[in-house]
Amino acid sequence: MTPPFPEPPASAEVGDGRAPASPSGRTGAVPPVPPAAPLVLGPGDPGESGWVEAHSIGEIEELVRAGHTVVVTPARLAAATAGDERDAEAAELTAASICAWAGARVFRTDRREQVRLAVEMTDSLAGRRPPALTRRGLA
């Protein structure tokens, strides 16, 4: 029986050291190592000693390139842009998404569930995690 979707063509020979053999005996690309899952903490929750707090997007990118686990507080980053309380939540979720895209993995917030969903959506869009639900052939 043939599989419903053909496997991609092999780009390397089995045993040449460039690509591992798949269970079917064919070779393929080595999947990338996924980054650590994001962690959403409350404002008073303790952190780990190796984490580094970032206060700007540029700082996040620099610390991620250096290999650090970056902690951000999206409400602080969003405080400059929010006009009133209704805008504050949207600004915080936007800041959390931008920080996640830049590579931050630990988030301190009062809105834990909303920030977790925003970060998971951003990771799906960035290709770091599979989407929770996919649909095909909706036309």
Side-chain angles (χ1 to χ4, degrees):
M1 181 170 144
T2 60
F5 301 103
E7 291 185 38
S11 60
E13 295 296 321
V14 175
D16 71 353
R18 291 189 296 157
S22 68
S24 65
R26 300 184 74 183
T27 60
V30 176
V33 175
L39 181 61
V40 181
L41 302 173
D45 293 345
E48 291 188 15
S49 60
W51 294 351
V52 181
E53 180 94 24
H55 303 287
S56 70
I57 301 300
E59 192 177 357
I60 292 168
E61 291 172 340
E62 182 180 319
L63 291 168
V64 167
R65 267 189 249 116
H68 296 286
T69 299
V70 179
V71 181
V72 294
T73 305
R76 267 194 229 149
L77 295 172
T81 60
D84 61 16
E85 186 58 36
R86 290 178 309 188
D87 293 339
E89 181 177 358
E92 183 175 352
L93 296 177
T94 302
S97 296
I98 293 169
C99 292
W101 189 273
R105 304 315 296 160
V106 182
F107 302 84
R108 289 190 185 280
T109 181
D110 288 328
R111 298 177 171 99
R112 293 171 107 174
E113 186 63 21
Q114 295 95 329
V115 168
R116 183 189 62 77
L117 290 171
V119 169
E120 285 180 355
M121 178 201 64
T122 302
D123 282 351
S124 293
L125 291 171
R128 293 188 286 253
R129 74 180 281 280
L133 179 67
T134 57
R135 303 264 185 205
R136 292 179 47 148
L138 294 177

